[in-house]
Amino acid sequence: MQIDPDKYPKSDKIPNFLKTVPVVIIVILILFFIIAPPFVVIPSGYVGVKMTLGKADMDELPPGLNFIIPAVQRVIKMSVRTHSYDLRGANSINSLSKDGLTINTELTVLYKIKPDKAAEIYVEYGLDYESKIIKPVIRSAVRDVIATLDSSQVYQERELIQKKLMETVSKELEKRYILLDEILIRDIRLPKRVVEAIEQKRRAYEEMQKMKFVVEREKLEAERKRVEAKGIADANKIIAGSLTKEYLQWKFIENIKAYAQGDNNTVILIPYDQQMTPIINIPNIKK
């Protein structure tokens, strides 16, 4: 049976539903890229841990644009900047000193994770590595250090405690891929009675040192005076040895002459010897 083309003309018109298919596909793709884009941006100061179907890739993603497979891979962003972790207040550390007293310590830890070990940290400890690594390591180190010191050392040797903590904690954290920057001791609290006893002992020691200083100063002053007196005595011996009767008479006359030439001198008593004390009336010629 043949169809008459004139009776049934062929239509070149595309059905309307076929025209909407490309639009629908484009919209779906756009939504897909918005909801699950094939890339991720890692900001500066972070690295990315790529998870493929729940398994971590040990090669960290660097800062910048990184491509992933949507719906199959996701990225955990981990900061490699310096962080501070406080062990203060209810989170402070109580420990026993060498002499059996309870010492309360508050401190702050400054640290950062190794950028090339972020994946290992995530796999072993997750994102809550502060409470799983830093807190127990610090608590253990503080208790070990305080246990080697008596209460008076703890009260006075803060720098020593901080140095020992830095050495111990740094080694322990590095084993767990964390770099220690600093440990800042905020406060060390001892029982009140112990602090008062230490302060009293310190004041007594300072007073004793002060008295030692005074005694030493007086000894030095006495020695100085002795040396000075000996010098004067030696000088007098030298002068006495060089004086003659003629020199003394000449010096006496010179002094009388100088005195007589003064403006207000009219009478001069001259004790010349034991038998004679002449009185000389000198007119005031200048006037």
Side-chain angles (χ1 to χ4, degrees):
M1 180 179 179
Q2 294 183 348
I3 300 175
D4 186 356
D6 295 331
K7 187 175 181 180
Y8 301 99
K10 185 178 179 181
S11 176
D12 294 331
K13 187 176 180 181
I14 300 174
N16 291 332
F17 77 92
L18 291 178
K19 292 181 179 180
T20 62
V21 171
V23 177
V24 172
I25 293 173
I26 292 173
V27 171
I28 292 173
L29 290 175
I30 291 173
L31 292 175
F32 180 78
F33 284 129
I34 292 175
I35 297 172
F39 59 85
V40 64
V41 176
I42 308 295
S44 297
Y46 288 77
V47 295
V49 179
K50 184 166 62 177
M51 307 291 293
T52 303
L53 297 176
K55 183 179 180 180
D57 189 338
M58 293 297 105
D59 294 326
E60 291 78 6
L61 299 178
L65 184 67
N66 296 272
F67 289 94
I68 60 173
I69 302 173
V72 176
Q73 296 177 328
R74 64 187 182 95
V75 175
I76 307 296
K77 299 175 184 178
M78 297 184 68
S79 173
V80 293
R81 295 172 178 168
T82 297
H83 293 267
S84 64
Y85 183 67
D86 287 328
L87 288 161
R88 305 169 69 179
N91 209 23
S92 60
I93 305 168
N94 288 323
S95 51
L96 291 177
S97 64
K98 189 176 181 180
D99 48 358
L101 294 176
T102 300
I103 311 295
N104 181 266
T105 307
E106 293 186 344
L107 47 80
T108 298
V109 182
L110 302 179
Y111 74 93
K112 55 179 172 284
I113 68 173
K114 292 183 177 181
D116 59 340
K117 296 296 182 180
E120 283 88 340
I121 292 175
Y122 181 78
V123 170
E124 293 187 32
Y125 307 103
L127 295 176
D128 191 23
Y129 50 84
E130 283 188 341
S131 62
K132 293 180 179 178
I133 303 176
I134 297 176
K135 185 176 180 179
V137 167
I138 290 292
R139 285 183 175 276
S140 176
V142 169
R143 286 167 178 161
D144 289 345
V145 170
I146 297 296
T148 63
L149 306 171
D150 59 38
S151 54
S152 60
Q153 288 178 301
V154 172
Y155 184 75
Q156 301 176 56
E157 300 290 342
R158 179 175 294 196
E159 291 185 3
L160 175 64
I161 295 172
Q162 187 163 315
K163 181 180 178 181
K164 288 187 174 182
L165 286 176
M166 283 289 296
E167 293 173 355
T168 303
V169 174
S170 178
K171 294 177 182 178
E172 292 300 318
L173 291 184
E174 192 167 2
K175 294 177 183 178
R176 297 162 177 83
Y177 320 122
I178 294 177
L179 300 175
L180 178 66
D181 285 343
E182 191 70 58
I183 293 179
L184 305 175
I185 297 179
R186 301 296 187 181
D187 193 19
I188 297 179
R189 288 193 291 269
L190 289 79
K192 185 177 179 181
R193 59 181 178 81
V194 175
V195 174
E196 291 175 351
I198 293 173
E199 285 296 321
Q200 184 177 2
K201 184 178 179 180
R202 182 182 61 82
R203 287 192 294 268
Y205 176 78
E206 290 177 352
E207 188 65 26
M208 181 182 66
Q209 293 299 111
K210 181 179 178 181
M211 291 304 298
K212 285 184 178 180
F213 171 77
V214 172
V215 170
E216 290 298 323
R217 185 183 64 184
E218 292 299 328
K219 286 182 179 179
L220 291 174
E221 181 65 15
E223 180 66 16
R224 185 192 68 79
K225 289 181 178 179
R226 188 185 67 79
V227 172
E228 182 181 12
K230 186 176 184 302
I232 294 173
D234 292 342
N236 289 337
K237 287 180 181 179
I238 294 172
I239 293 172
S242 65
L243 296 177
T244 64
K245 182 178 179 180
E246 289 77 12
Y247 173 78
L248 292 174
Q249 287 178 347
W250 173 83
K251 188 67 176 176
F252 179 74
I253 293 170
E254 289 294 317
N255 288 339
I256 291 299
K257 185 189 294 186
Y259 184 71
Q261 291 174 352
D263 294 337
N264 298 320
N265 299 321
T266 57
V267 178
I268 300 176
L269 300 176
I270 303 177
Y272 185 73
D273 55 23
Q274 295 179 353
Q275 288 77 27
M276 181 176 61
T277 305
I279 301 175
I280 301 175
N281 185 11
I282 302 175
N284 195 340
I285 300 174
K286 294 182 180 180
K287 291 185 179 180

